[in-house]
Amino acid sequence: MKLKRLLASGLVVAMMTGMLTGCGGGGDSTGSTSSNNSSSSSSSSSGSQSSGDTSSDQASNGEIVNLKWITIGNGMPTNYDSWIASVNEYIGEKIGVNLEMEVISWGDWGTRRNVIVSTNEPFDIIFGNGNDYVADINLGAYTDITDLLEANMPGLLELMPEKYWDGVRVKDRIYGVPSYKDSSVTNYAIWDKELVDEYSLDISTMTTLDSMTETFVKLKADKNDYPCYVKNDGLYYIFDVYDTIGAGTQILGVRYDDKDAKVCYVLEQPDIYEQLQIIYDWRQKGIINPDAATLTEGRIYNMWRVAQGWESAGKTAWGPQMGKEVVVQQLGETILSNETVRGSLNMVSTNSKYPEKCLQLLDLVNCDTKLRDLFYYGEEGVNFEYTEDGKVHKINNDWALAGYTQGTFFTVTTLDTDEVNQWDEVRDLNEAAVASVMLGFTFDTTPVSDQLANCREIWLRYKSEVLTGVQDPAVVVPQIKEELMNAGWQEVVDEAQRQVDEFMGK
């Protein structure tokens, strides 16, 4: 069924391999790919050749089309004019496109994006994520690109495995191009290495909440500090094993590995309920900071915390951010779901005159290392420069565009300061990810939209206190359920289960 759902083409076999040979130069590792292509013309990249060939006739005939791409970042770059000139010189020759970018600041994004979409403001490509993807599709904002991919995105089709395309399907159609990066979720416990050494901790055996309690009690007594210091979203990661199926709330979902695909009230599931009890116990023991439920920001130092990422991020990000050396331990499996894939998407407007060109541009941004570096690092000679061994040296940190919004990580040239190629590690996690049984399914909430909205609000009222241990789950979990039932919860569950059963072929 899945093979039939993608494209009836020979590309399927290549996509299932997940190899990088068709994108960014064809090396076995991102490092070798980048080194081979970064300091020379990217026409040597097989990915860029594919994109260029698609429209070589138009480009050679001098036809240039204008496209506008709206995205998020730190606002417009100070060197935008010179940067976009170099971009347009390159893509004009490659695919006959002249690009205009609008980079909206983080604080203005939500409001500005809503205005753009709801008022049909002109654009060709816009960044987005799972929070708005389905709603915008229902508004008719985005082009159905399913049948345009094969002809216009050969590089990305080869680079990104089929299951990641499944993650953006809505009613078996594709409306968004995922940024193939850390597109699955892997949680890591991050420990202060000094404490691990001092107490001779074997963190490989401490991968569940109950296995940490004894150590946390001792650390609390010895250090007079909170081993689990969190803000108001608490230990939210415990819900990652439940696929929210597009319902938009943590408390309704299907466990990622449940072959029966039972839609459930997540809080009362044994695995989640047990952890909520431990969190409540931690609060009583003083392991969790007492103001957690009201905090909107965490703190820099943590004895222990959980974050999504990859192992080498301990050295490249988590440790430096904390100002301490850290050690990390993976918690659970790497999981692939619609939600993890939809963390970064680019959509083509239904009003765009050139949807094919939009896809060709996104294919080139993903698969041509020279262009990928221009978007990721900024202007060569101003924001970055290439070293003799083909790596990137950052001249400054002034670049305003957000790299995760543009395309894949796996064709970005590595930095001269990187001791390891972290993108290889991310790629390996992606390829080993366990796909949720609900991958490719999106709950059509229209029949129960009012009931679901009311149920979401109920959970939001309780969420912080439940996940920071303020409320006793023995009391609050039944209390929440009673309120949910009065708000139409059973209707929501029944409709979701009906659609899930249909998706599963029951």
Side-chain angles (χ1 to χ4, degrees), residues 106-120:
W106 303 98
D108 295 333
W109 174 255
T111 301
R112 177 82 177 102
R113 191 210 66 83
N114 288 338
V115 169
I116 291 168
V117 173
S118 62
T119 63
N120 285 321

Side-chain angles (χ1 to χ4, degrees), residues 312 315-316 391 414-422 425:
S312 62
K315 292 183 178 180
T316 62
K391 292 189 175 184
T414 54
L415 291 170
D416 58 348
T417 54
D418 289 345
E419 297 179 3
V420 297
N421 190 332
Q422 61 183 334
E425 185 182 343

Side-chain angles (χ1 to χ4, degrees), residues 74-84 86-87 373-387 391-401 406 415-416:
N74 288 324
M76 295 296 288
T78 55
N79 57 321
Y80 172 77
D81 289 343
S82 55
W83 172 78
I84 198 67
S86 62
V87 168
D373 288 348
L374 282 172
F375 275 83
Y376 194 84
Y377 292 118
E379 185 178 356
E380 185 177 357
V382 176
N383 304 109
F384 78 97
E385 59 190 6
Y386 290 109
T387 62
K391 292 189 175 184
V392 160
H393 173 72
K394 292 179 72 173
I395 298 172
N396 54 56
N397 293 309
D398 297 339
W399 188 235
L401 274 68
Q406 308 151 358
L415 291 170
D416 58 348

Side-chain angles (χ1 to χ4, degrees), residues 232-261:
N232 58 6
D233 54 357
L235 283 90
Y236 63 88
Y237 82 93
I238 66 173
F239 290 115
D240 284 345
V241 294
Y242 281 83
D243 191 315
T244 59
I245 63 174
T249 179
Q250 294 164 308
I251 60 172
L252 183 141
V254 174
R255 189 175 160 91
Y256 79 103
D257 55 358
D258 179 10
K259 302 302 182 184
D260 292 329

